[in-house]
Amino acid sequence: MKIFIFGLGYVGQALGLSLLADGWQVSGTTRDPEKIVILNKQGFNTYLFSDPSIPGILKNYSHVLISIPPELGNDPVLLNYASFLKKTSWIGYLSATSVYGDHQGQWVDETSLLHPQTISGIQRMKAEEQWLSTDLPVHIFRLSGVYGPGRSTIDSLKRNEIHQRVDTPGHFFSRIHIEDICQVLRASMNNPTPREIYNLADDWPAPTREIIEYVCGLLKLPLPPLVPFELADLTPRAREFYQDNKRVDNFKIKAELNVKLKFPTYRSGLKKLLI
C-alpha cells in the first residue's frame, strides 16, 4: 500500500510513521529543504512541494493526505496537482473546526451552520468547498485542537511559556490527541466513503484555563495568575483563538467509522504524556 502525504508536519508524520510500521510505502512533501534528510532517515520518501517529479509519482499512489493550509483562499494541492489524482481511491483533507465559527458554547456536528469569523476559518471553508466541487474521492476531516508528544500544555508549562490563565467564563474548546487522529484517518482509509465530513474531537470540551490548572496539578507547579480576557496579554492570533466558542460533537466517527477513542478526555491524554 502507498500513501502520498502533502505536508509532513506534526499530523502527517504521525500518520506516516504508523503506516510505515505496518509496511506501507510513505512519501510526502516539505517546504524546508533541510528537513528532507531528517524525514528520509525516518523512512519517508520526501520531496519539496514544487518538485517537478511529483505529478508522475502521484499516479502510483492509491491514497493521498492533504495536511497543508490554504493559501490566499485556495488549496495549493488542488490548484497544482488535482489532475494527477484521478486514479486515487482515497483522499483525506485535513480541515479545522474553525469553519463553524462561534456557536456561543453550543454543540456543533457535521450538519451545523458554517459561519467562520477568523481568516483561517474562512479559508478552510473555501478549501473544503473547492475539494467537494470536484469528482475526486475526498474525505473532509475537521480537526479540533491537536495535542500529543512534544505539543501540549505540559510542554508549554515546562518551557515557561504560559504566564497567565485567561478567564473566559462559559468558553469551551475541543481537543483531539494525535493518536486518535491517526486511528480515525486509518479507519476511513479502510472504509472509504467519499465526500463525507467528520469532526475529530474528544468527549470533553473544556476551557483552556481548566487544562492549565489540571497540568499544574500534575506537575506540582504554582498556578499562573487568573486574568480577565479584557486585560489579558494576548497576541492577535491568541485573541483570535477565543473568538469561537463551541463544543464539537464526535458521534459520527464512532457510529460510522467504529472508532473508540484512546483518549476520550484531556485528562487521559495528558496523563499518558507524562509516562
Side-chain angles (χ1 to χ4, degrees):
M1 301 293 284
K2 297 181 179 181
I3 186 171
F4 195 97
I5 300 175
F6 283 98
L8 284 168
Y10 190 73
V11 176
Q13 286 184 57
L15 177 66
L17 288 171
S18 74
L19 293 172
L20 282 170
D22 287 342
W24 283 59
Q25 180 178 322
V26 183
S27 300
T29 68
T30 178
R31 293 187 185 275
D32 185 352
E34 295 182 1
K35 288 185 178 179
I36 291 179
V37 174
I38 297 172
L39 290 166
N40 286 349
K41 285 182 178 179
Q42 295 182 64
F44 300 109
N45 301 312
T46 316
Y47 305 85
L48 289 176
F49 181 81
S50 58
D51 192 309
S53 66
I54 290 178
I57 293 169
L58 285 174
K59 297 174 183 178
N60 301 316
Y61 284 80
S62 56
H63 295 70
V64 171
L65 180 73
I66 295 92
S67 184
I68 297 177
E71 297 174 351
L72 301 176
N74 292 301
D75 180 78
V77 176
L78 194 57
L79 201 60
N80 292 281
Y81 296 113
S83 60
F84 306 104
L85 299 174
K86 301 295 184 182
K87 295 183 179 179
T88 309
S89 60
W90 181 92
I91 297 173
Y93 177 74
L94 300 187
S95 185
T97 56
S98 57
V99 298
Y100 293 111
D102 181 30
H103 284 255
Q104 300 181 331
Q106 299 300 307
W107 288 95
V108 296
D109 63 21
E110 291 83 355
T111 66
S112 296
L113 177 68
L114 305 185
H115 55 92
Q117 301 175 64
T118 63
I119 293 174
S120 60
I122 292 169
Q123 291 197 342
R124 287 290 188 188
M125 182 181 70
K126 289 180 178 178
E128 286 187 12
E129 292 171 348
Q130 291 167 5
W131 276 105
L132 291 171
S133 69
T134 72
D135 58 358
L136 296 169
V138 66
H139 306 69
I140 306 292
F141 301 94
R142 293 173 178 163
L143 273 59
S144 301
V146 179
Y147 76 100
R151 181 172 168 170
S152 73
T153 303
I154 293 172
D155 302 285
S156 298
L157 281 166
K158 285 182 175 180
R159 292 192 297 260
N160 197 32
E161 295 173 350
I162 297 177
H163 306 290
Q164 61 187 351
R165 288 172 293 146
V166 181
D167 190 17
T168 51
H171 185 276
F172 292 92
F173 188 70
S174 293
R175 297 159 185 81
I176 183 76
H177 192 285
I178 186 66
E179 289 186 29
D180 284 321
I181 294 174
C182 290
Q183 73 155 325
V184 170
L185 294 176
R186 295 191 64 163
S188 173
M189 292 162 65
N190 291 333
N191 183 28
T193 51
R195 314 191 71 74
E196 288 293 338
I197 298 172
Y198 299 99
N199 285 339
L200 274 66
D202 67 19
D203 296 341
W204 196 261
T208 301
R209 58 168 285 194
E210 183 178 311
I211 315 301
I212 296 172
E213 291 163 0
Y214 178 68
V215 174
C216 283
L218 291 178
L219 300 177
K220 302 188 185 313
L221 295 174
L223 290 175
L226 185 63
V227 181
F229 176 74
E230 296 77 13
L231 303 178
D233 181 17
L234 297 170
T235 64
R237 183 173 180 179
R239 197 164 289 277
E240 184 179 87
F241 164 85
Y242 287 98
Q243 281 186 238
D244 294 349
N245 181 12
K246 58 187 176 294
R247 288 177 280 184
V248 179
D249 183 275
N250 62 15
F251 175 79
K252 189 172 180 180
I253 58 172
K254 298 175 181 178
E256 297 189 8
L257 297 178
N258 296 314
V259 167
K260 182 178 181 180
L261 294 176
K262 296 180 180 180
F263 304 104
T265 73
Y266 70 81
R267 290 175 177 262
S268 57
L270 291 169
K271 275 186 179 179
K272 177 66 181 297
L273 294 179
L274 285 177
I275 298 174

